[in-house]
């Protein structure tokens, strides 16, 4: 029976969140979920102190009882713990699958750079709070149980990664940034002004030379600026891709919403963990 450890490298969730996700998991009798107590701790913005979050992530990654590590929530906090946590992961972590998105992409990127374990962009437990969020959580639970219907439909023979655009831009130039030559890179964003999206593309695309192409996920909940920016999100993506000779491949079915699809890092057919 696959055992899934759930920890919170960024922000915390509630015991009610965990209970609702656990109840959904009963629909997948082949899975066993274990919420680390650290998921429910709080220290200011974070799910406990940096030391507590590092310890929980390392414990879940190195525990031979578990087959996968699922990040409970995004927000912010992963950048403060990712390098120290990855440095403490050993042989057991290498056989595990790590799942998350949003701020969790910082850790996924670092693990991919370190060639440690298998990484998957996927809905997370806190998505249960969204209206209709059960569908998103079921998508990840189904994938963990062996279903493949929740995969992003454009996946092909190219190695692929998926990131929140802000977090991708932030890890560019750091030790957490993997080499992505030959990859299809999918990006999504939420709650950023269009000028900020443009600025993020300006920075991120400068570090993506040699990729096979870029796909644009949903850029949602865009605040209204005091003056129209004058370019929509696809114009922005196409502009910066053209500037750096990056093929623009169209749209991707990922985003901060209940329709967010699953993207295994690498080649999808080779990344299956079951």
């Amino acid at each position: 029976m696959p055992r899934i450890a759930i920890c919170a490298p960024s922000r915390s969730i509630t015991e009610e969140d965990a209970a609702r996700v656990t109840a959904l998991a009963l629909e997948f009798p082949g899975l066993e979920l274990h919420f680390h107590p650290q998921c429910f701790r709080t220290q200011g913005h974070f799910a406990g102190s940096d030391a507590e979050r590092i310890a929980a992530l390392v414990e879940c990654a190195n525990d031979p009882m578990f087959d996968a590590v699922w990040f409970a929530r995004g927000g912010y906090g992963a950048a403060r713990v990712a390098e120290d946590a990855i440095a403490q992961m050993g042989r057991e972590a290498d056989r595990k699958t790590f799942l998350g998105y949003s701020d969790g992409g910082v850790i996924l990127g670092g693990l991919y750079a370190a060639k440690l374990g298998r990484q998957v962009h996927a809905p997370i437990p806190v998505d249960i709070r969204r209206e209709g969020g059960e569908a998103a959580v079921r998508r990840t639970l189904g994938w963990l149980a062996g279903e493949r219907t929740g995969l992003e439909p454009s996946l092909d023979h190219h190695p692929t990664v998926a990131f929140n655009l802000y977090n991708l831009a932030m890890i560019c130039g750091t030790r957490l940034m993997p080499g992505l030559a030959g990859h299809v890179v999918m990006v999504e964003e939420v709650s950023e002004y269009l000028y900020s999206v443009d600025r993020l593309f300006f920075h991120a695309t400068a570090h993506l030379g040699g990729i096979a192409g870029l796909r644009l996920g949903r850029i949602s909940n865009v605040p209204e600026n005091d003056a129209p920016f004058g370019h929509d999100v696809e114009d922005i993506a196409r502009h910066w891709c053209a500037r750096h000779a990056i093929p623009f491949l169209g749209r991707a079915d990922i985003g901060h919403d209940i329709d967010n699809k699953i993207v295994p890092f690498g080649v999808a057919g080779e990344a299956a963990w079951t």
Side-chain angles (χ1 to χ4, degrees):
M1 174 183 291
R3 293 182 172 91
I4 317 304
I6 301 169
C7 61
S10 305
R11 300 193 67 188
S12 63
I13 59 170
T14 67
E15 294 195 20
E16 180 184 359
D17 296 328
R20 292 180 64 192
V21 173
T22 300
L24 274 185
L26 295 176
E27 300 175 13
F28 304 88
L31 299 182
E32 186 176 306
L33 303 186
H34 295 262
F35 283 85
H36 194 288
Q38 175 268 328
C39 290
F40 315 118
R41 294 180 186 148
T42 58
Q43 184 177 87
H45 176 89
F46 307 106
S49 67
D50 290 352
E52 288 176 313
R53 300 196 321 281
I54 290 168
L57 177 55
V58 171
E59 180 183 339
C60 292
N62 287 343
D63 191 330
M65 185 179 89
F66 298 119
D67 302 292
V69 180
W70 194 12
F71 305 145
R73 186 176 178 180
Y76 173 69
R80 296 178 63 95
V81 303
E83 288 188 51
D84 290 342
I86 291 170
Q88 297 177 50
M89 293 182 189
R91 182 176 298 177
E92 282 298 327
D94 193 38
R95 71 174 187 84
K96 286 184 173 61
T97 297
F98 296 82
L99 305 98
Y101 78 105
S102 188
D103 196 51
V106 171
I107 299 172
L108 298 182
L111 288 166
Y112 198 57
K115 297 180 172 58
L116 188 65
R118 295 172 296 279
Q119 302 76 38
V120 183
H121 165 104
I124 50 182
V126 78
D127 284 324
I128 198 75
R129 297 181 183 178
R130 301 183 188 276
E131 184 177 355
E134 294 85 355
V137 175
R138 280 192 182 99
R139 190 171 302 119
T140 299
L141 292 171
W143 190 88
L144 287 165
E147 298 177 5
R148 295 296 175 260
T149 55
L151 290 171
E152 206 285 332
S154 70
L155 296 174
D156 57 17
H157 64 283
H158 289 96
T160 302
V161 294
F163 287 101
N164 170 262
L165 177 61
Y166 194 103
N167 287 294
L168 174 61
M170 291 303 98
I171 66 172
C172 285
T174 75
R175 288 187 291 269
L176 297 171
M177 180 65 176
L180 297 177
H183 285 63
V184 171
V185 177
M186 300 182 180
V187 295
E188 54 81 25
E189 189 51 81
V190 63
S191 300
E192 294 288 345
Y193 288 98
L194 287 179
Y195 67 79
S196 181
V197 172
D198 193 77
R199 182 186 293 141
L200 293 169
F201 267 109
F202 153 72
H203 181 69
T205 53
H207 293 265
L208 295 178
I211 68 171
L214 182 138
R215 285 190 177 274
L216 178 65
R218 286 178 287 283
I219 310 296
S220 57
N221 297 337
V222 177
E224 186 174 346
N225 196 29
D226 58 352
F229 184 65
H231 301 278
D232 65 24
V233 292
E234 190 163 319
D235 291 337
I236 293 168
R238 288 181 179 276
H239 171 83
W240 291 108
C241 283
R243 178 67 62 91
H244 295 284
I246 295 170
F248 180 75
L249 303 178
R251 304 305 294 252
D253 195 6
I254 62 170
H256 272 66
D257 52 47
I258 63 171
D259 295 319
N260 186 25
K261 296 301 189 297
I262 292 170
V263 181
F265 282 32
V267 178
E270 297 174 356
W273 73 298
T274 53

